[in-house]
Amino acid sequence: MDHISFRVARGRFFGFLGPNGAGKSTTIKMLTGLLRPTEGEATIEGHPLEQELLAVKRVIGILPEELPLYERLTGEEYLHFAGRMYGLSPQETRRRTDELLAFLSLEEERGKLIVDYSQGMRKKTALAAALIHSPRVLFLDEPLNGIDPVSGRVVTDLLRRLAQKGVTMFFTSHVLDVAERLCDEVAIIDRGRLVAQGTLEQIRAQREVGQDATLEDVFLKLVAADVRREDLSWIG
Amino acid sequence: MLRARERAVGLALLLPGLFFSSLIGSFMAYAGVRGAEAHDPEMVMPLLSLIATGVGVSWMLSPLLAGVALSESHDVSRLLHFPLPLLTLVAASLVGNLLQPMVLAALPVLASLSLALSRSPAAIPFALAGSLSSLLFLLAAAQVSGLVLHGLTRRRRFQDLAVFLVIGLGFLMSMAPIVFLSGGARFLGRAMRGLVASDLVALSPFAWGVRAAVHAGRGEALAFVGWAAAQAAAIAAAAAVSAALIERIHRGELDLGGGSGEGTGRAVMRLPGRIGALLEKDLRVAWRDPATKATLFLSCATPLFWLFVFTRARGGLSTSGLLMLAMLVGASAFGNAFGLEGRGITLLFSFPVERWRVLVAKNLSGFALRLPGLATLLAMGALLAPSALLPAAATVALCTFLVAAGADNYASILFPMVAARPGHNPYGGSAAGGRGLGAAALGALFFAATLVVASPFVFLAWLPMLLGRPFLWLFSLPLALAGAAAVYAMLVAGAARVLERREPDLLQRVLGEV
């Protein structure tokens, strides 16, 4: 990452966008204490990351892109474990687990080992674990990848409601129309540098893009992507 | 580029080895058959049948026993999206094995065997044909077993079971020297002689070609034709089974299911607190992971092995032998505190749990996983040593364990092991080996320091025996344990501070991102 600096207000749905290898996941890893930046600092919900790492981890929920779940636990056991790790009582953990499993349509799979889950089921389990302790900030790295359309809608509706209740969303996605639909504000990075930040309207105005331009149009312009190609020679 | 160079080095190392093993095998086959012919000609056929069966079964099971298939079972599923006729896949997979280095290395041995079996030059080609037919059957059978194993890997429960059984089998084979040393050789010899005398192995299709070769060598044409025909039928049957299996892969029917549909019932996490939850998680994961579960059972073998060594060396387990054994079992805590986590370590450290709790939980699960070993030590010690020494031996093991676990936390934080990416070879690339030579040297230093730091508590636990006043154990054992626990607490507190400072670096190194 190259000297990026941004601020996200509480309760905002913040989209962090960029092409492959731009540094989105690296930024999330740094903001969640999983990767040490060579310099710089971050403050989350008033807690300086470097000095109060555990306090930061108490208030955040993480849905990483790579899902290192405990594959030899069942989905239900994993949620129980996560609840206990966040300091919830066994009774509260059980109540929230039941509710999360029902909400994410994982009830029938609750007794199966995670190793036997599909990618979408793993994603939903990881999301459930990220939500179980009622976090104030959610870091979601490609949360909709591999999730079926019905669950995708359930998840996006939930995330939107959470944001309305004051939970801050830090969201990365390659699917720009989803980002456009969900995010109040976006930041676009390219090769480790922040190239734009603000609401879509603000970015359109800054970059002198037409008011009818979609997020995808703005994104392609900002990362200077050349999408024009000659046809393949053998395709008639 | 690197892979090509690695392959060239591998080949350069492999070829001379294969050449010499082939040379030695050829010599042994010739000398062995000629010797057996001179000693007892009737024994030659059952003996060769037994050897052919043994080689055949080992070859078939080589992917399980050695982790390396001696001849390949080609994963034709990777070729399914190409518009290749099924017959091409079947033929390519079967014929591809004929040029495997291990197969080529077997040819001189078979030639030498045929030469030794033949009583006239005219018999040599027929004897060779018989021997080769055995090899062909072996390849076809290995192809079948490879395809079946390939199918099994698609169902997680079968694969888990196979991994568990294979580790057990590997362990049994590694115990073979001990069995031989402790008089097992006589038993095995008797069993072999019984098998040869009864000629039960005549039923094994691995042996039919070799039996045809023996008859050819003796000029018994009719018997040769009979056994050779039986072997040819067996080859055809195995090839047909292979073809059927490949066809089922081709049609996607050998995919035995993405996973079990069986659940494990409602989850109940019983142990209280965060340390309890961490410990319970580790125990559940370990119990359901076939490799870890196998290690759990095999941990009983370490004390058994050392007991054997001590009892053989001294003609019985002396008190100092028991003391040494207890220390060795205790020091086995030295390993890798985060080994069970693998890449899940990022998950573990995403939770807001005080790091000293994580370390204590990891040490406790390490202790729980070594409990079977400790129990075996106590049980065997009770049989072989004065039972009055057992509380002291258990205390020594515990004291050493506490100090070793405390020291191991530092090694695990400072020299973490890389965890392979999902779907990547855990024994290759950056995950290969372990912590490196420097870390190994420091690890040895840590180990020596552990023994030195634990020695006052060991001495305290053993002192009443040296003084001949057993009643002093009432005071010395609790004191030794309390002292070791205090040292452990100090070590954990220090390690937790190191962990807090180095946590992101530790994660990067485990994930191989450094």
Side-chain angles (χ1 to χ4, degrees):
Chain A
M1 305 311 299
D2 190 359
H3 298 93
I4 61 169
S5 176
F6 57 86
R7 185 186 172 86
V8 181
R10 184 171 291 152
R12 298 291 274 179
F13 210 121
F14 185 79
F16 197 61
L17 313 173
N20 287 338
K24 302 184 295 293
S25 298
T26 304
T27 306
I28 285 192
K29 279 185 185 172
M30 287 195 286
L31 290 175
T32 53
L34 298 177
L35 186 66
R36 192 195 301 282
T38 46
E39 59 175 335
E41 55 192 43
T43 301
I44 295 171
E45 284 284 318
H47 302 290
L49 187 65
E50 185 77 11
Q51 290 81 26
E52 298 176 28
L53 187 58
L54 285 192
V56 168
K57 288 183 177 180
R58 275 187 203 105
V59 297
I60 64 173
I62 312 168
L63 176 65
E65 189 181 16
E66 189 185 329
L67 299 168
L69 303 175
Y70 295 116
E71 297 200 325
R72 303 282 166 165
L73 292 184
T74 66
E76 185 178 22
E77 283 170 349
Y78 176 61
L79 294 182
H80 274 256
F81 171 72
R84 300 277 293 281
M85 288 294 98
Y86 283 115
L88 300 178
S89 69
Q91 296 76 21
E92 187 60 16
T93 302
R94 178 172 292 279
R95 190 180 70 77
R96 292 190 187 188
T97 298
D98 289 345
E99 215 172 307
L100 280 164
L101 289 171
F103 188 87
L104 292 167
S105 310
L106 285 169
E107 265 183 320
E108 284 181 19
E109 324 293 340
R110 65 192 308 154
K112 264 191 183 178
L113 297 186
I114 293 174
V115 68
D116 295 328
Y117 276 15
S118 68
Q119 177 67 11
M121 283 153 62
R122 282 167 189 247
K123 198 76 151 185
K124 288 196 276 186
T125 308
L127 178 64
L131 291 170
I132 198 165
H133 60 300
S134 188
R136 282 157 39 203
V137 182
L138 260 176
F139 288 93
L140 306 164
D141 199 351
E142 301 286 353
L144 302 175
N145 268 9
I147 292 189
D148 63 89
V150 176
S151 298
R153 184 60 182 268
V154 170
V155 168
T156 52
D157 286 351
L158 169 71
L159 296 179
R160 204 180 275 139
R161 286 198 298 275
L162 285 171
Q164 283 163 4
K165 288 180 181 171
V167 176
T168 310
M169 301 287 166
F170 192 93
F171 172 93
T172 76
S173 177
H174 285 115
V175 189
L176 294 177
D177 57 338
V178 173
E180 185 171 354
R181 202 156 30 88
L182 291 174
C183 298
D184 307 315
E185 191 179 339
V186 294
I188 296 175
I189 57 164
D190 186 24
R191 281 164 282 189
R193 287 176 175 229
L194 196 64
V195 292
Q197 189 195 346
T199 61
L200 186 54
E201 290 72 29
Q202 285 169 341
I203 295 175
R204 279 190 195 123
Q206 282 167 19
R207 301 293 162 158
E208 296 170 354
V209 186
Q211 283 307 302
D212 56 343
T214 62
L215 180 58
E216 187 181 67
D217 298 330
V218 175
F219 179 87
L220 292 175
K221 183 174 168 65
L222 285 169
V223 301
D226 180 10
V227 292
R228 287 168 304 167
R229 298 283 187 279
E230 292 294 323
D231 268 350
L232 295 169
S233 62
W234 64 90
I235 305 290
Chain B
M1 186 65 194
L2 187 66
R3 285 181 65 86
R5 203 180 307 155
E6 281 168 352
R7 277 184 187 174
V9 171
L11 209 61
L13 292 172
L14 177 75
L15 286 179
L18 275 180
F19 175 76
F20 281 112
S21 62
S22 184
L23 201 70
I24 293 167
S26 303
F27 172 75
M28 285 178 68
Y30 188 86
V33 168
R34 282 294 158 109
E37 284 276 13
H39 179 254
D40 182 0
E42 291 309 306
M43 212 179 69
V44 172
M45 192 141 56
L47 190 62
L48 282 177
S49 302
L50 184 65
I51 293 169
T53 304
V55 171
V57 172
S58 313
W59 194 295
M60 270 179 78
L61 296 180
S62 63
L64 295 178
L65 294 173
V68 180
L70 297 179
S71 53
E72 209 166 331
S73 105
H74 300 96
D75 184 2
V76 291
S77 59
R78 293 179 187 180
L79 301 171
L80 291 183
H81 57 280
F82 293 114
L84 291 173
L86 179 60
L87 271 177
T88 308
L89 290 178
V90 174
S93 183
L94 289 175
V95 174
N97 273 323
L98 292 176
L99 290 175
Q100 292 285 325
M102 286 297 291
V103 178
L104 293 176
L107 294 179
V109 181
L110 293 183
S112 163
L113 177 74
S114 309
L115 203 65
L117 286 172
S118 303
R119 292 177 183 171
S120 71
I124 295 174
F126 297 99
L128 189 60
S131 314
L132 282 174
S133 66
S134 260
L135 179 68
L136 276 178
F137 175 75
L138 181 152
L139 291 177
Q143 181 77 2
V144 172
S145 72
L147 288 165
V148 168
L149 289 173
H150 176 69
L152 289 184
T153 58
R154 299 190 177 200
R155 178 166 270 196
R156 202 251 314 146
R157 276 176 193 263
F158 285 149
Q159 192 183 15
D160 285 0
L161 185 65
V163 170
F164 181 74
L165 292 177
V166 166
I167 292 174
L169 204 58
F171 168 70
L172 285 180
M173 289 180 73
S174 70
M175 295 292 275
I178 298 176
V179 174
F180 271 97
L181 285 172
S182 57
R186 278 195 301 277
F187 168 77
L188 280 175
R190 272 202 302 275
M192 293 287 180
R193 277 195 293 277
L195 269 175
V196 169
S198 64
D199 201 13
L200 264 177
V201 276
L203 297 172
S204 156
F206 289 105
W208 295 345
V210 173
R211 295 176 86 88
V214 174
H215 286 297
R218 290 174 184 170
E220 297 159 359
L222 201 62
F224 165 76
V225 170
W227 285 112
Q231 188 70 90
I235 293 167
V241 173
S242 276
L245 288 171
I246 290 171
E247 192 183 4
R248 291 192 68 184
I249 289 177
H250 187 71
R251 294 201 303 243
E253 289 172 7
L254 204 64
D255 188 341
L256 295 171
S260 70
E262 304 145 49
T264 58
R266 291 297 297 264
V268 183
M269 298 285 270
R270 290 186 175 82
L271 298 180
R274 294 180 186 189
I275 292 179
L278 277 164
L279 174 60
E280 191 167 345
K281 183 271 291 176
D282 274 355
L283 294 182
R284 284 176 190 246
V285 167
W287 187 250
R288 290 169 188 162
D289 178 65
T292 317
K293 186 159 63 174
T295 314
L296 198 64
F297 285 115
L298 303 186
S299 68
C300 305
T302 312
L304 284 176
F305 174 78
W306 287 111
L307 273 167
F308 176 80
V309 170
F310 283 122
T311 49
R312 297 294 285 194
R314 306 266 175 98
L317 187 65
S318 64
T319 49
S320 54
L322 185 64
L323 176 69
M324 289 278 289
L325 195 55
M327 282 187 81
L328 276 169
V329 170
S332 71
F334 220 87
N336 177 15
F338 303 119
L340 260 184
E341 290 294 326
R343 297 180 77 80
I345 195 166
T346 52
L347 194 62
L348 178 68
F349 287 130
S350 69
F351 293 119
V353 181
E354 293 82 0
R355 294 332 186 204
W356 69 264
R357 287 183 203 266
V358 173
L359 292 174
V360 170
K362 287 285 148 199
N363 295 153
L364 275 175
S365 49
F367 178 69
L369 294 177
R370 283 167 180 85
L371 262 181
L374 193 61
T376 313
L377 165 74
L378 289 177
M380 296 306 291
L383 289 174
L384 297 170
S387 55
L389 289 177
L390 291 185
T395 306
V396 166
L398 272 174
C399 289
T400 321
F401 182 89
L402 281 169
V403 177
D408 180 53
N409 290 332
Y410 289 88
S412 304
I413 296 164
L414 297 172
F415 304 107
M417 290 177 78
V418 178
R421 283 180 175 279
H424 283 64
N425 180 4
Y427 310 108
S430 58
R435 298 164 168 173
L437 272 181
L442 274 172
L445 203 67
F446 269 112
F447 187 77
T450 296
L451 294 182
V452 170
V453 173
S455 58
F457 312 115
V458 172
F459 177 71
L460 196 57
W462 220 246
L463 188 61
M465 203 214 67
L466 298 174
L467 296 174
R469 295 180 179 178
F471 72 92
L472 284 176
W473 266 323
L474 285 174
F475 308 100
S476 76
L477 296 187
L479 264 179
L481 270 177
V487 168
Y488 173 74
M490 285 191 284
L491 287 171
V492 165
R497 277 198 292 276
V498 176
L499 180 56
E500 281 159 20
R501 279 202 306 275
R502 296 185 55 89
E503 193 172 300
D505 309 300
L506 167 69
L507 294 176
Q508 275 179 274
R509 293 178 70 176
V510 172
L511 300 180
E513 291 173 355
V514 177

